Amino acid sequence: MSGEASAPPATSPRAPRPGIQKSSGAVTKKGDRGAKEKPATVLPPVGEEEPKNPEEYQCAGNLEVDFAELCTRWGYTDFPKVVTRPRPQLTFAPSASTSEKPTLDDQRLSGSCSLNSLESKYVYFRPTIQVELEPEDKSVKEIYIRGWKVEERILGIFSKCLPSLSQLQAINLWKVGLTDKTLTTFIALLPLCSSTLRKVSLEGNPLPEQSYHKLMGADSTIAHLSLRNNNIDDHGARLLGQALSTLHSCNRTLVSLNLGFNHIGDEGAGYIADGLRLNRSLLWLSLAHNRIQDKGALKLAEVLRPFELTHIEVVERRRLLLEKGSQERSRSPSTSRHGDSKTERDKNQLMGVSSFALVEKDKTQTVKTPKGLGKKKEKSGELVKKEEKSGPGQSPTQGTPKKEDSAKAGKGKVTIPEQKLSKGKGAKTGSKEKRSILMESELVGEAAETVSPLLEPVEHRDGKVFMPGNKVLLHLNLLRNRITEVGLEAFLTVVQHQAQFAKPKGTSKGPVGLLWLSLAKNCFSPQCPAYTMIQEMMLPRDPINKSKHKEEEPVASCT
C-alpha cells in the first residue's frame, strides 16, 4: 500500500480532462473510482447522499468553494476551476497624434508575450466553469461550460451545489459531449435549481435519439431554449413540434426557441408548423441555416393566417364547447333554482297563470326568501361548506368557494349580476398568484392562460371552420435556407393579412402578429418585388426600427 504510487493523470493533446480520480494500485477509467475507495462505480441518483462521506456537505451558495469541496469529497484530484467569465475587451483605435512606430519598450513587451503565448493559450482552453456574477451581491447569474466532457458524476455534483444559487438565471453548455442518458440526468436537476432559472442553452451537443423535446415537457419552466448546431433533422423536429402543442396538450412556458444551424428540411418544418397551430406562448422562433424549401415555407406561412381546421380538430372543438357549457352550468349557484322555476313555469302555464306573474314571483323569491332556495340548492352548497371549514390558505382553489360564500352572505340576493361580479373578482385574485391560476384553471377552466386555442372565435365558410391563425409569434428567422419566390409569395400574403387586421394605437393589448421576419440569403434575388414589398411592410412594424427612428428625431430637430 505504501509502496504503490498513484496513477498519473490522463492527458490529451488539447487540454487536461476532468474526471481524474485517486487510485491505489490500478489505473482507473475516467469518471470511475478506485476499487478500494468504492466497490461500485454507479452514479447515485440525483438528490441522494454521497456514498463516500456519511456527513452531508451543506452548500453555502459559493459555487467556487462548494464545487471544489464536493469534487474533493467525490475523489477528484483534477477538476475544473470556477472562474469569472472574461468580458470582451474594447479595441483601441490609435489617434493620429501617436507615433505609428513601436518603441523599444513595446518591442520588448511583445517579445515576452510571444514567449508566453503557448502557455496563455493552454490556460485559455483549460476546462473551466465560467460564471457571470450579479454586480450588486456578486451572486452567480449565469453558468458557461464549453469544450470539455460533462460526465454523469459531474452532473451529480451540480445537483448538490446548483440549488443553493438563488439568483441563477441561465445555464449554457457548449460542446460538452452530452448523451441521451446525461441529458436525462441534466433535466432531472433543473427542478432542484432556483425558480429564477429560465434559460438553457445546449449547443453543439448532437444526440443519437434527439431527445431534446424532454426539455419542453409539461412540468418544464424553461422560457428560453437554444438548440443550435445539434444536427437536428426531421425526426427531431417532429418531436419538438409535438412538444410545442398537440390536440390535447400544449407547452405554456417556452417563449423563445432557437433551432438554427441544424438539418431541418421541409418535412421537419411542417412538424414545427403543426406545433404552432395550437401553441399560444412561443414568441420567438429561429430556423436559420437549415434546409427548408418552398414546401416547408408554405406550411409555416399557412399557420400564420386563417387556416382550416381538420376533422379531428373540429370534433375536439365541439367536445370542448360542450364541456365548457356543462362546467358553466355546474358552477352557477342558481342552476337548481332556475331548473325548479322552469318546471313550475310549465305547470303554471298549464293552469292558466300568466308568465308575467310568474316572473314577479321569481323576483320576490330572490329578494324575500334567504332560507328557501330548495333542498337541491342546499345539496349544491355542501361542497362550499366543507371548504369553509378547511380554513383560508389550505386549498389552492380557495378563490372559488369564497365567491359563492360572498354571494350567500348577501341574505339570499343571489342574482345574475352578482355572479358576473364574483367572476371578475376571482380573475383579479387569480392574477396575483400564478400557482393558484394554474390550479384553478385545471378545476374551473376560467383562466385565460388555459383556454384552448380551439375555443377561439372561428369563421365558417362553405361548410368549413377556419381559425384566425397564430398571431402570437412575433419573431421568425428563416435566414439562409432554400426558399424561392414561391415560398416568398406565401409570406407576402401573411404580412398583408396581418397588416390589414393590425390593431391601431390606443387599443387593448393582444396578439399583433409578426413584428420581425428574416428571409434573406435564400434562393431568390434581393431585388425581387415580393421581397421588397415584405421589407417595406415590415419596416414600420419592427420595434427596433421604431426606437431608432425616435432617437433620430430629436437629433434632427436640434440640427
Side-chain angles (χ1 to χ4, degrees):
M1 184 85 182
S2 60
E4 296 178 352
S6 60
T11 59
S12 63
R14 292 186 177 179
R17 310 284 290 188
I20 308 303
Q21 300 187 356
K22 295 178 181 179
S23 172
S24 56
V27 178
T28 60
K29 296 181 180 180
K30 179 181 67 174
D32 297 338
R33 295 190 177 187
K36 293 186 179 181
E37 291 182 354
K38 182 184 174 185
T41 59
V42 180
L43 173 71
V46 174
E48 291 191 1
E49 295 184 355
E50 302 162 357
K52 182 180 177 181
N53 297 294
E55 297 181 0
E56 180 74 17
Y57 174 74
Q58 299 294 333
C59 296
N62 188 333
L63 183 60
E64 182 177 2
V65 176
D66 295 339
F67 184 77
E69 178 64 25
L70 289 172
C71 286
T72 304
R73 290 181 174 226
W74 281 77
Y76 285 103
T77 57
D78 187 12
F79 48 85
K81 307 301 180 187
V82 178
V83 298
T84 304
R85 189 186 186 202
R87 293 188 174 275
Q89 298 180 358
L90 298 177
T91 57
F92 174 72
S95 60
S97 61
T98 59
S99 176
E100 295 182 358
K101 295 183 179 180
T103 61
L104 183 61
D105 294 337
D106 294 337
Q107 292 177 357
R108 291 176 180 176
L109 182 61
S110 62
S112 62
C113 291
S114 62
L115 294 176
N116 297 328
S117 59
L118 293 177
E119 183 180 356
S120 62
K121 290 180 180 179
Y122 174 77
V123 172
Y124 176 78
F125 286 106
R126 279 198 66 181
T128 58
I129 300 175
Q130 299 181 0
V131 296
E132 190 170 331
L133 306 178
E134 289 282 1
E136 293 83 9
D137 54 358
K138 301 300 180 182
S139 59
V140 176
K141 180 174 65 174
E142 294 193 36
I143 294 177
Y144 298 85
I145 300 177
R146 52 173 295 164
W148 55 274
K149 185 175 179 61
V150 175
E151 302 169 347
E152 195 166 358
R153 300 187 64 188
I154 292 291
L155 292 174
I157 295 175
F158 282 150
S159 68
K160 295 181 177 297
C161 58
L162 294 188
S164 61
L165 306 178
S166 59
Q167 301 298 324
L168 182 62
Q169 300 177 13
I171 298 177
N172 303 271
L173 304 181
W174 183 78
K175 290 189 177 182
V176 297
L178 284 181
T179 63
D180 291 284
K181 184 178 180 181
T182 53
L183 178 63
T184 303
T185 306
F186 174 74
I187 295 173
L189 70 86
L190 292 179
L192 305 177
C193 298
S194 172
S195 59
T196 57
L197 179 60
R198 286 292 181 267
K199 177 184 176 183
V200 173
S201 176
L202 303 180
E203 300 183 0
N205 296 282
L207 302 179
E209 299 180 6
Q210 304 189 38
S211 53
Y212 307 100
H213 64 283
K214 296 180 180 179
L215 291 161
M216 302 160 54
D219 55 346
S220 173
T221 58
I222 299 175
H224 307 280
L225 180 61
S226 180
L227 299 173
R228 296 193 308 170
N229 197 21
N230 286 328
N231 297 340
I232 299 175
D233 56 14
D234 293 339
H235 170 69
R238 179 177 64 85
L239 300 176
L240 292 172
Q242 293 175 353
L244 284 175
S245 74
T246 61
L247 195 62
H248 304 286
S249 64
C250 179
N251 182 284
R252 304 184 187 277
T253 58
L254 193 65
V255 175
S256 67
L257 177 62
N258 194 338
L259 298 175
F261 295 89
N262 283 291
H263 303 159
I264 300 175
D266 286 341
E267 187 177 354
Y271 292 133
I272 299 296
D274 291 339
L276 293 176
R277 289 174 71 92
L278 302 179
N279 182 283
R280 295 299 181 265
S281 64
L282 192 68
L283 306 178
W284 194 98
L285 175 63
S286 176
L287 291 168
H289 294 265
N290 277 279
R291 304 172 181 177
I292 302 173
Q293 301 182 21
D294 290 331
K295 185 178 179 182
L298 292 175
K299 291 286 292 183
L300 290 169
E302 178 185 353
V303 299
L304 300 178
R305 62 175 186 266
F307 58 87
E308 179 186 352
L309 292 181
T310 64
H311 175 71
I312 299 177
E313 291 172 340
V314 171
V315 172
E316 178 66 15
R317 182 176 185 273
R318 291 174 180 174
R319 187 191 67 81
L320 291 175
L321 289 173
L322 291 174
E323 183 179 352
K324 181 181 178 181
S326 62
Q327 287 180 354
E328 289 179 351
R329 289 191 296 270
S330 62
R331 286 199 309 271
S332 177
S334 57
T335 303
S336 60
R337 176 173 58 82
H338 284 307
D340 293 341
S341 63
K342 184 178 181 181
T343 56
E344 289 181 5
R345 185 179 292 110
D346 294 338
K347 293 180 180 178
N348 291 329
Q349 285 179 355
L350 294 175
M351 297 172 62
V353 181
S354 66
S355 60
F356 177 79
L358 184 59
V359 171
E360 293 296 327
K361 180 181 178 181
D362 289 340
K363 290 183 180 179
T364 56
Q365 285 182 353
T366 56
V367 176
K368 294 182 180 180
T369 59
K371 298 180 182 179
L373 293 180
K375 295 183 180 179
K376 294 183 180 180
K377 172 68 180 181
E378 293 177 359
K379 290 181 180 179
S380 64
E382 289 180 358
L383 179 61
V384 178
K385 293 181 180 179
K386 290 181 180 178
E387 294 190 6
E388 276 184 342
K389 295 180 181 179
S390 63
Q394 296 182 4
S395 173
T397 59
Q398 58 183 354
T400 305
K402 280 185 179 180
K403 290 183 286 186
E404 296 182 1
D405 294 341
S406 62
K408 282 188 174 183
K411 295 184 180 181
K413 298 179 181 179
V414 187
T415 58
I416 295 177
E418 289 185 5
Q419 293 173 16
K420 293 182 179 178
L421 182 61
S422 65
K423 286 183 181 179
K425 291 181 179 179
K428 291 181 180 179
T429 56
S431 62
K432 294 180 181 179
E433 297 180 3
K434 295 182 179 179
R435 293 184 179 178
S436 62
I437 280 181
L438 296 177
M439 295 300 295
E440 288 183 6
S441 62
E442 291 175 359
L443 300 176
V444 180
E446 263 184 42
E449 290 81 355
T450 58
V451 174
S452 173
L454 290 174
L455 297 179
E456 294 177 356
V458 297
E459 182 182 355
H460 297 270
R461 288 181 294 177
D462 300 330
K464 299 178 181 179
V465 184
F466 287 84
M467 287 274 290
N470 188 328
K471 294 183 180 180
V472 178
L473 188 67
L474 305 179
H475 177 113
L476 179 60
N477 189 355
L478 291 170
L479 177 75
R480 288 191 181 275
N481 279 274
R482 303 172 184 177
I483 303 173
T484 67
E485 296 183 8
V486 177
L488 199 62
E489 292 289 342
F491 281 106
L492 177 60
T493 305
V494 170
V495 173
Q496 290 174 342
H497 171 77
Q498 293 188 353
Q500 180 182 359
F501 294 95
K503 294 187 176 182
K505 295 182 180 180
T507 56
S508 59
K509 297 181 179 180
V512 295
L514 288 176
L515 300 180
W516 195 87
L517 175 63
S518 177
L519 293 167
K521 308 296 182 180
N522 275 277
C523 299
F524 54 82
S525 173
Q527 289 77 28
C528 176
Y531 183 61
T532 305
M533 290 182 63
I534 290 177
Q535 287 184 312
E536 293 176 354
M537 297 183 68
M538 293 300 299
L539 190 61
R541 295 172 63 89
D542 189 356
I544 299 178
N545 179 68
K546 288 181 180 179
S547 61
K548 289 181 180 180
H549 185 66
K550 289 180 180 179
E551 291 177 358
E552 292 175 356
E553 282 181 355
V555 176
S557 61
C558 293
T559 56

